[in-house]
Amino acid sequence: DAGVIQSPRHEVTEMGQEVTLRCKPISGHDYLFWYRQTMMRGLELLIYFNNNVPIDDSGMPEDRFSAKMPNASFSTLKIQPSEPRDSAVYFCASSLASLVVGVEQYFGPGTRLTVT
Amino acid sequence: DAKTTQPPSMDCAEGRAANLPCNHSTISGNEYVYWYRQIHSQGPQYIIHGLKNNETNEMASLIITEDRKSSTLILPHATLRDTAVYYCIVRVGNDMRFGAGTRLTVKP
């Protein structure tokens, strides 16, 4: 398996522009997670899906952020409009089942977003 | 959720065992102990997890004390490629919370 795939790997955009990050989870994994990592705040969970349905979006910072999972093999995280403080590395992860039963998460390589 | 405490940094000589401690004194009975690591610029990598018993896989061993208030991750023969930040996480749900971790530096 190719693992979790994210695109783009790097994104540089100007403040006010729309940014879309993409993720393809490992085939057969029912859970998909979006994280953000910054030096100041570390690694934070933004939202996670189970069977394409958003379960917990309490980590989404504000209404400028939205995430969708139209099918089992694709998810997007959109920021509109983007701001410089959104600059971070965004990771997507997937797992076979709920972490409640003790399974591992597999992380993608991340998208490094820079908003100028 | 149980809070974890890890030393901010550790050094280990190449070829020796690296023993990374983690305190989780408020852990509850159904919370798993997870270990992940993050090599610079890469996504976190799962290492091992356990509930009550000690666990071993091809990467590491996890030793959990009988009262479950602390655990130790053991890398039996550390290599330079094991240099990374190691995260100990105690969690019952899907909301994984990564703390600051331990920065392990393996030295030749």
Side-chain angles (χ1 to χ4, degrees), chain A:
Chain A
D1 199 314
V4 176
I5 299 172
Q6 291 186 246
S7 64
R9 294 294 309 277
H10 301 273
E11 177 79 37
V12 180
T13 191
E14 292 184 348
M15 182 175 63
Q17 297 298 308
E18 177 179 293
V19 175
T20 299
L21 311 181
R22 298 172 176 79
C23 175
K24 176 179 168 55
I26 294 174
S27 177
H29 281 195
D30 288 339
Y31 284 76
L32 182 139
F33 307 79
W34 281 101
Y35 290 86
R36 176 174 68 176
Q37 186 171 36
T38 61
M39 289 292 292
M40 291 296 294
R41 301 176 66 88
L43 197 60
E44 305 173 281
L45 176 67
L46 300 177
I47 185 172
Y48 75 89
F49 295 81
N50 176 26
N51 291 325
N52 314 336
V53 177
I55 301 300
D56 184 352
D57 65 355
S58 59
M60 296 286 262
E62 48 197 277
D63 292 345
R64 298 185 298 105
F65 285 69
S66 63
K68 294 182 179 180
M69 193 165 185
N71 57 62
S73 60
F74 183 66
S75 176
T76 59
L77 179 67
K78 186 175 294 186
I79 308 173
Q80 166 64 18
S82 59
E83 297 182 3
R85 59 190 168 129
D86 301 331
S87 297
V89 181
Y90 291 81
F91 290 104
C92 176
S94 69
S95 65
L96 193 60
S98 170
L99 303 182
V100 172
V101 299
V103 297
E104 54 264 43
Q105 275 182 316
Y106 295 87
F107 283 77
T111 295
R112 181 173 296 276
L113 173 65
T114 302
V115 183
T116 60

Side-chain angles (χ1 to χ4, degrees), chain B residues 12-100:
Chain B
C12 177
E14 187 179 18
R16 304 298 294 268
N19 297 282
L20 292 90
C22 180
N23 287 321
H24 31 79
S25 58
T26 60
I27 192 171
S28 61
N30 58 348
E31 288 185 307
Y32 283 85
V33 180
Y34 288 88
W35 283 85
Y36 283 76
R37 72 180 182 183
Q38 187 171 24
I39 298 171
H40 181 61
S41 300
Q42 298 181 20
Q45 177 189 22
Y46 166 84
I47 301 174
I48 199 167
H49 74 277
L51 185 60
K52 295 180 180 179
N53 300 321
N54 298 336
E55 302 287 345
T56 295
N57 62 20
E58 65 278 6
M59 287 184 67
S61 295
L62 173 61
I63 308 298
I64 303 174
T65 58
E66 192 170 343
D67 62 8
R68 302 208 329 121
K69 292 185 177 181
S70 66
S71 60
T72 301
L73 178 74
I74 302 172
L75 307 178
H77 305 287
T79 71
L80 299 179
R81 289 181 296 178
D82 292 323
T83 292
V85 178
Y86 287 77
Y87 298 100
C88 169
I89 304 159
V90 174
R91 188 61 187 157
V92 68
N94 288 301
D95 182 9
M96 281 289 207
R97 298 183 184 176
F98 292 72

